Amino acid sequence: MAASALARLIRANQPCVVLTGAGVSTESGIPDFRSPTGIWAEFDPDEYASLPAFRAEPAKVWTFYKPRIAMLTEAEPNAAHRALAELERGGLVEAIVTQNIDLLHERAGSHNLVEVHGSIRTATCPACGSSFHGRPSWRSSRTQTPLRATAAARFSSPASSFSASCYRPTRSSGAFELARRARLLLVVGSSLEVHPVAALPEETLAAGGRLAIVNKGPTPYDRRADLKLEGSAGEVLGAVADELLS
């Protein structure tokens, strides 16, 4: 019944734009960050997920991130990623704005993506700006240590790891433009706590659009949403895709 209500909202309110957070990838075995059992419950983000921390102790930060980025490269898209790709192919999702860096939307077949925090495909040297592209870019294939830009002889940082510093104005403007145009913004797996992305629902609502949320746990916009669903993103979105595309 809940999935049917969401399917009706999507069908009646086009274009539909989707905003996804860490909760859409937990069913692929990727832990989230901000839940009571998330990564930041155990580690201090100021110590491991900020540019000042990286500049002070790059080896320490890379030691923290290396196994986690390796886990991202080995994860597979889940039912939620596949359902969103199917809805895009069916013309029912215009675009996906994602806070995730794991490339799982792309690998599931989604094409119109705005990766507001970048992705694991790129690492950038903070000293000289050199970028390393492709899946091996975040490590040295021989030593498994952080890459160094030859000219700067400095550790390169994972381009997507420090969300506040790697949010690019061009990505921001694209995401906000999509949110303003959306007749329905569907939030999946985001607690809507990380700004500026957390402000996207306000853009949609202010422009007269509607809001639906699929998330385990509360968000600041629950009372303003037409529909708030708790539960598995894969199960909900899979049922929605089945109903809309069958």
Side-chain angles (χ1 to χ4, degrees), residues 122-210:
T122 303
T124 302
C125 176
C128 71
S130 299
S131 292
F132 305 85
H133 300 276
R135 287 186 67 179
S137 66
W138 56 274
R139 65 186 182 184
S140 161
S141 59
R142 291 186 180 181
T143 65
Q144 307 295 295
T145 58
L147 288 163
R148 293 173 183 269
T150 302
R154 292 284 300 277
F155 284 116
S156 61
S157 65
S160 51
S161 297
F162 314 126
S163 59
S165 59
C166 57
Y167 196 98
R168 299 289 184 262
T170 52
R171 296 173 188 153
S172 173
S173 61
F176 275 75
E177 181 180 349
L178 285 167
R180 284 189 289 269
R181 291 183 56 243
R183 294 301 85 204
L184 176 67
L185 180 69
L186 171 58
V187 177
V188 182
S190 175
S191 60
L192 296 173
E193 294 179 357
V194 178
H195 285 270
V197 175
L200 291 181
E202 194 65 49
E203 297 292 318
T204 299
L205 294 170
R210 305 174 78 174

Side-chain angles (χ1 to χ4, degrees), residues 215-238:
N215 189 60
K216 292 181 179 179
T219 82
Y221 284 90
D222 288 356
R223 294 190 178 187
R224 300 176 66 187
D226 280 80
L227 183 66
K228 165 65 190 300
L229 301 178
E230 298 256 355
S232 161
E235 290 178 4
V236 171
L237 295 179

